[in-house]
Amino acid sequence: TTPNAILHGGYHHALSRSWQSERTLTKDMLMYPMFITDDANALEKIDSLPGQHRIGINKLKEFIAPLVTKGLRSVILFGVPLKEGVKDPTGSRADDPEGPTILAVNLLRKEFPDLFVACDVCLCEYTSHGHCGILRQDGTLDNSQSIKRIAEVAVNYAKAGAQCVAPSDMMDGRIRAIKEGLMEAGFAHKVMLISYSAKFAGSWYGPFRDAANSAPAFGDRRCYQLPPNARRLARRAIKRDMEEGADCIMVKPGMPYLDIVREASEIATDYPISVYQVSGEYSMLHQAAAAGVFDLKSIVLESMTGFIRAGATLILTYYTPDLLTWLDED
Ligand SMILES: NCC[C@H](CC(=O)O)[C@@H](CN)CCC(=O)O
Ligand SMILES: [Zn+2]
């Protein structure tokens, strides 16, 4: 089987099936990014992301239950190890069975059977150097080692019960490596593979790196995230990931890259298109509204309209809890 011959993974679950169709903003379109930390009893506010928290495994059920009651349908998990000595050059603890991500997958699948659980797959939260891949001695990326490790982590998240894996690393060929890993492990037909295909290097991720303690220790991510002005590379990355077996194509950041969302929806016409309203966008709107520039609910709903107009069918946003409330109002 060639990887992109496998379609089942993209519609195995009722929710992912709904994403395969045209939509206007509904709760089902929203995927909530959550930070799970290795301090089991933590429930820490994140200064750079007002309203967001780092959540310990023992606080997760009580935190998420009211959101599920309000109509939360899906989450994407980011493990945030804060304990000393967890990080190393190869991110070997990313798929630690006792680590925050796998513990959270286990708990959510057991306690909230209707919740669609996705895991972000990357090494940067677990590597001592903070890069999204494994480095050579000279400090440059070892792409083949990186995709081998990233595929291993993705398969282990699938084995733990994740219904979707989304690699945010931007290594070349990681989609095929993950898809083939899922195929070998017998998960490709029931786990959705969302590719962060067009993800741009730049200044929109600061609050996340603060929240996840995942900034690169040296250098930057310009050798693997796309150059902001490289529309043509984005088109090539999208086509490549379709070939390699992605079930959904994501663009990130969102508002500053709406043209790329439109390109993705025209290139990957038969795929659900996902967009990530990243931490910088979230904080910008939040702080501008607090400063009286505009009303928060209005501006957030209008940003959602932009994503849908550009062709997005799945929106990752930290505003998910607010939107679950706002969508029930007038
Ligand atoms: N794996 C990269 C994580 C990346 C931030 C970064 O480039 O450091 C994004 C997470 N997928 C940031 C998301 C955000 O800013 O909200
Ligand atoms: Zn990363």
Side-chain angles (χ1 to χ4, degrees), residues 122 124 168 199 205 208-209 221 225 252 278-279 318:
C122 197
C124 54
S168 63
K199 172 174 180 177
Y205 307 129
F208 174 96
R209 292 178 186 166
R221 304 200 195 287
Q225 293 176 356
K252 170 183 179 183
V278 299
S279 57
Y318 302 102

Side-chain angles (χ1 to χ4, degrees), residues 274-302:
S274 165
V275 64
Y276 197 141
Q277 184 174 48
V278 299
S279 57
E281 299 174 71
Y282 172 85
S283 296
M284 173 177 73
L285 296 183
H286 210 276
Q287 298 194 30
V293 174
F294 32 56
D295 167 67
L296 186 63
K297 174 180 173 183
S298 311
I299 203 71
V300 171
L301 285 170
E302 191 171 342

Side-chain angles (χ1 to χ4, degrees), residues 7-21 23 28 31 73-74 114 116 163-164 189-194 247-248 271-272 313-314:
L7 302 181
H8 290 179
Y11 60 93
H12 180 77
H13 189 283
L15 187 61
S16 52
R17 274 196 288 277
S18 76
W19 296 334
Q20 304 281 359
S21 59
R23 310 183 60 80
D28 292 1
M31 180 178 272
R73 294 297 314 276
S74 71
D114 293 340
F116 186 83
Q163 291 143 309
C164 172
H189 290 78
K190 52 194 174 189
V191 171
M192 187 177 197
L193 177 49
I194 297 185
D247 295 306
C248 173
Y271 291 70
T313 48
L314 170 58

